Amino acid sequence: MPVPPSALTDAYDRLATALPSLRIQELPPGAAQPDGGGWITGASLTRPGRAMDTFLDWDDAQIRRDHGTRARPDVTASFGLHRYAWPVCLLITVPWFLLRRVPRYPVTQVSYDRTVPELAMGRLAVRAAGFACLPDDPAAGRPEARVVADEETLDAEVRAAVAEHLEPVLAAFGPRMRRRGRALWGMATDEVVEGLWYVAGLLGEEARATAELKRLLPGATLPFVGSAAFRELATPTGRRLPTRDRASCCLFYTLRPEDTCVTCPRTCDADRIAKLTAHAAA
């Protein structure tokens, strides 16, 4: 039986159109969170047990398959956190960006499956624990809505919703990544910014996303570390290229030292311009 549309369905439908490699399934009332058979719950990753080992075994296998080498355990754990946190942050930031609605997703309300071959980024089965919205939102009268006063308060809801979900996840991944506190929340900052920045580019709204992410993460918004950190680079021909400086390092350089990420703190501006220009030409 089809699930009736929620106040978030339109945002997730637009995300699916722009990014078909990720699928979001909103669970109907009363349905259990999928667990097993490829699915892993967010809650299980935060508890002692085999769930984390099973989750990271997948990353270990992918790294060996894609790069022909075995990564250090802390690098594998960093990749695993990224591959979980990037789509989970989109659950919150995409409805905020497209609809001005901010859902809450405690770890108990999210399951993740990376085993479907045609879905490179996997699929999420989720149930929102309500959402925040502005007073003039047509969905403000829904029973699961919580009306907030203004855009500034709604931005705070985004940060709170991401922090609520990621805090126990970061605590579980941290020891395996050999990172703590500030370094972990720097990664969270990067997942929020780079995920929405990428999706907004697919939607043709990169400029608006850049402006709104600057407002969302201006710096000094604990527990997040740093700001959205967008800036522009000028090519020799005068072309302006958008970039940002990551608050953390994903450790990809440990696998390919010659091929750092374009937003990596280790990548100089000349190399960034070369990489961005080559990408645009391709």
Side-chain angles (χ1 to χ4, degrees), residues 159-180:
R159 295 189 294 268
V162 173
E164 176 187 35
H165 187 98
L166 287 188
E167 185 172 18
V169 176
L170 295 178
F173 273 88
R176 293 174 181 257
M177 295 165 57
R178 299 192 297 184
R179 301 192 193 188
R180 61 178 69 182

Side-chain angles (χ1 to χ4, degrees):
M1 194 169 182
V3 180
S6 78
L8 309 170
T9 301
D10 182 59
Y12 295 149
D13 285 348
R14 290 181 64 185
L15 174 60
T17 300
L19 191 65
S21 60
L22 174 66
R23 181 181 303 162
I24 295 173
Q25 174 189 355
E26 295 182 87
L27 296 173
Q33 288 293 144
D35 192 7
W39 290 100
I40 193 164
T41 65
S44 69
L45 291 176
T46 70
R47 298 191 297 257
R50 280 285 308 161
M52 178 71 80
D53 292 328
T54 301
F55 187 79
L56 294 179
D57 284 346
W58 191 95
D59 292 284
D60 177 64
Q62 185 183 60
I63 290 169
R64 285 186 283 120
R65 183 179 67 248
D66 293 351
H67 302 288
T69 188
R70 193 163 213 162
R72 297 186 330 231
D74 60 308
V75 175
T76 300
S78 295
F79 278 37
L81 174 63
H82 164 67
R83 289 170 178 150
Y84 177 84
W86 199 91
V88 165
C89 287
L90 292 177
L91 288 173
I92 298 164
T93 59
V94 167
W96 165 71
F97 181 68
L98 295 178
L99 302 175
R100 285 298 183 262
R101 296 170 190 167
V102 180
R104 289 290 183 118
Y105 286 108
V107 291
T108 54
Q109 306 293 78
V110 173
S111 298
Y112 185 35
D113 178 16
R114 299 189 285 179
T115 64
V116 181
E118 64 270 23
L119 296 175
M121 299 194 67
R123 55 180 177 163
L124 293 160
V126 302
R127 181 184 295 104
F131 66 93
C133 65
L134 297 171
D136 61 352
D137 190 319
R142 295 178 69 118
E144 68 272 30
R146 184 163 52 85
V147 178
V148 299
D150 51 32
E151 291 277 2
E152 183 178 356
T153 310
L154 198 66
D155 291 349
E157 287 286 335
V158 176
R159 295 189 294 268
V162 173
E164 176 187 35
H165 187 98
L166 287 188
E167 185 172 18
V169 176
L170 295 178
F173 273 88
R176 293 174 181 257
M177 295 165 57
R178 299 192 297 184
R179 301 192 193 188
R180 61 178 69 182
R182 183 176 177 83
L184 291 170
W185 284 104
M187 292 189 70
T189 300
D190 291 330
E191 303 300 351
V192 170
V193 175
E194 298 204 345
L196 185 60
W197 186 29
Y198 179 76
V199 168
L202 299 177
L203 293 168
E205 296 199 60
E206 181 181 10
R208 183 167 75 88
T210 299
E212 296 196 2
L213 285 164
K214 286 180 180 179
R215 191 187 72 232
L216 179 70
L217 292 166
T221 49
L222 295 176
F224 298 94
V225 171
S227 67
F230 287 108
R231 59 190 179 93
E232 288 188 335
L233 300 172
T235 70
T237 62
R239 183 183 176 192
R240 310 296 295 183
L241 300 172
T243 189
R244 71 175 296 265
D245 297 310
R246 288 178 57 91
S248 67
C249 179
C250 70
L251 303 180
F252 183 74
Y253 79 92
T254 63
L255 299 176
R256 292 185 184 174
E258 74 289 350
D259 191 20
T260 55
C261 304
V262 72
T263 56
C264 179
R266 304 167 64 93
T267 305
C268 69
D269 283 356
D271 287 347
R272 292 187 188 211
I273 290 171
K275 290 172 182 285
L276 290 168
T277 301
H279 177 75

